[in-house]
Coordinates of all heavy atoms in Angstrom, one line a residue:
A290 N 88.0 -90.5 25.5 CA 87.1 -89.5 24.8 C 87.8 -88.2 24.6 O 87.7 -87.5 23.6 CB 85.8 -89.4 25.6
E291 N 88.6 -87.8 25.6 CA 89.3 -86.5 25.5 C 90.4 -86.6 24.4 O 90.5 -85.6 23.7 CB 89.9 -86.2 26.9 CG 90.5 -84.8 26.9 CD 90.9 -84.3 28.3 OE1 90.9 -85.2 29.2 OE2 91.3 -83.2 28.4
I292 N 91.1 -87.7 24.4 CA 92.1 -87.8 23.3 C 91.5 -87.8 21.9 O 92.0 -87.1 21.0 CB 92.8 -89.2 23.5 CG1 93.6 -89.2 24.8 CG2 93.7 -89.5 22.3 CD1 94.1 -90.6 25.2
V293 N 90.3 -88.4 21.8 CA 89.6 -88.4 20.5 C 89.1 -87.0 20.2 O 89.2 -86.5 19.1 CB 88.4 -89.4 20.6 CG1 87.7 -89.4 19.2 CG2 88.9 -90.8 21.0
L294 N 88.7 -86.3 21.2 CA 88.2 -84.9 21.1 C 89.4 -84.1 20.6 O 89.2 -83.3 19.6 CB 87.7 -84.4 22.4 CG 87.3 -82.9 22.4 CD1 85.9 -82.8 21.7 CD2 87.2 -82.4 23.8
L295 N 90.5 -84.2 21.2 CA 91.7 -83.4 20.8 C 92.0 -83.7 19.3 O 92.4 -82.8 18.6 CB 92.9 -83.7 21.7 CG 92.8 -83.2 23.1 CD1 94.0 -83.7 23.9 CD2 92.6 -81.7 23.2
K296 N 91.9 -84.9 18.9 CA 92.2 -85.3 17.6 C 91.2 -84.6 16.6 O 91.5 -84.1 15.6 CB 92.0 -86.9 17.4 CG 92.3 -87.4 16.1 CD 93.7 -87.5 15.8 CE 93.9 -87.9 14.3 NZ 95.3 -87.7 13.9
G297 N 89.9 -84.6 17.1 CA 88.9 -84.0 16.3 C 89.1 -82.5 16.2 O 88.9 -81.9 15.1
K298 N 89.7 -81.9 17.2 CA 90.0 -80.4 17.2 C 91.0 -80.1 16.2 O 90.9 -79.1 15.5 CB 90.5 -80.0 18.6 CG 89.4 -79.9 19.6 CD 88.8 -78.4 19.6 CE 87.5 -78.4 20.2 NZ 86.7 -77.2 20.0
T299 N 92.0 -81.0 16.0 CA 93.1 -80.7 15.0 C 92.5 -80.9 13.6 O 93.1 -80.3 12.7 CB 94.3 -81.6 15.2 OG1 93.8 -83.0 15.1 CG2 94.9 -81.4 16.5
S300 N 91.5 -81.7 13.4 CA 91.0 -81.8 12.0 C 90.0 -80.8 11.7 O 89.3 -80.9 10.6 CB 90.5 -83.3 11.8 OG 89.5 -83.5 12.8
G301 N 89.7 -79.8 12.5 CA 88.8 -78.8 12.2 C 87.6 -78.7 13.1 O 87.5 -79.5 14.0
K302 N 86.7 -77.8 12.8 CA 85.5 -77.6 13.7 C 84.4 -78.6 13.3 O 84.5 -79.2 12.3 CB 84.9 -76.2 13.5 CG 85.9 -75.1 13.9 CD 85.2 -73.8 13.7 CE 86.2 -72.7 13.4 NZ 85.7 -71.5 12.9
D303 N 83.4 -78.7 14.2 CA 82.2 -79.4 13.9 C 82.5 -80.9 13.7 O 81.8 -81.6 12.9 CB 81.5 -78.8 12.7 CG 80.0 -79.1 12.7 OD1 79.6 -79.7 13.7 OD2 79.4 -78.7 11.7
A304 N 83.6 -81.4 14.3 CA 84.0 -82.8 14.0 C 83.3 -83.8 15.0 O 83.0 -83.4 16.1 CB 85.5 -82.9 14.1
F305 N 83.1 -85.0 14.5 CA 82.5 -86.0 15.3 C 83.4 -87.2 15.1 O 83.3 -87.9 14.1 CB 81.0 -86.3 14.8 CG 80.3 -87.3 15.6 CD1 80.0 -87.1 17.0 CD2 79.9 -88.5 15.0 CE1 79.3 -88.1 17.7 CE2 79.2 -89.4 15.7 CZ 78.9 -89.3 17.0
V306 N 84.2 -87.5 16.1 CA 85.2 -88.6 15.9 C 85.0 -89.7 16.9 O 84.8 -89.5 18.1 CB 86.6 -88.0 16.2 CG1 87.7 -88.9 15.7 CG2 86.8 -86.7 15.4
Y307 N 85.1 -90.9 16.4 CA 85.0 -92.1 17.2 C 86.4 -92.6 17.6 O 87.3 -92.4 16.8 CB 84.3 -93.3 16.4 CG 82.9 -93.3 16.6 CD1 82.0 -92.8 15.7 CD2 82.3 -94.0 17.7 CE1 80.6 -92.8 15.8 CE2 80.9 -94.0 17.9 CZ 80.1 -93.5 17.0 OH 78.7 -93.6 17.1
F308 N 86.6 -93.1 18.8 CA 87.8 -93.7 19.2 C 88.3 -94.8 18.3 O 87.5 -95.6 17.8 CB 87.7 -94.2 20.6 CG 88.9 -95.0 21.1 CD1 89.9 -94.4 21.7 CD2 88.9 -96.4 20.8 CE1 91.0 -95.2 22.1 CE2 90.0 -97.1 21.2 CZ 91.0 -96.5 21.9
D309 N 89.6 -94.8 18.0 CA 90.1 -96.0 17.4 C 91.6 -96.2 17.9 O 92.2 -95.2 18.4 CB 90.0 -96.1 15.9 CG 90.8 -95.0 15.2 OD1 91.6 -94.4 15.8 OD2 90.6 -94.8 14.0
Q310 N 92.1 -97.4 17.8 CA 93.4 -97.7 18.4 C 94.5 -96.8 17.9 O 95.3 -96.3 18.6 CB 93.7 -99.2 18.2 CG 94.7 -99.7 19.2 CD 94.3 -99.5 20.7 OE1 93.2 -99.7 21.0 NE2 95.3 -99.2 21.5
P311 N 94.6 -96.5 16.5 CA 95.7 -95.7 16.0 C 95.7 -94.3 16.7 O 96.7 -93.7 17.0 CB 95.4 -95.6 14.5 CG 94.6 -96.8 14.2 CD 93.8 -97.1 15.4
I312 N 94.5 -93.8 17.0 CA 94.4 -92.4 17.7 C 95.1 -92.5 19.0 O 95.9 -91.7 19.4 CB 93.0 -91.9 17.8 CG1 92.4 -91.6 16.5 CG2 93.0 -90.7 18.7 CD1 90.9 -91.1 16.5

Side-chain angles (χ1 to χ4, degrees):
E291 190 172 4
I292 293 167
V293 183
L294 175 77
L295 292 176
K296 179 80 188 169
K298 283 268 162 197
T299 56
S300 56
K302 293 179 210 169
D303 206 4
F305 181 63
V306 189
Y307 269 98
F308 169 90
D309 64 15
Q310 203 57 40
I312 292 182

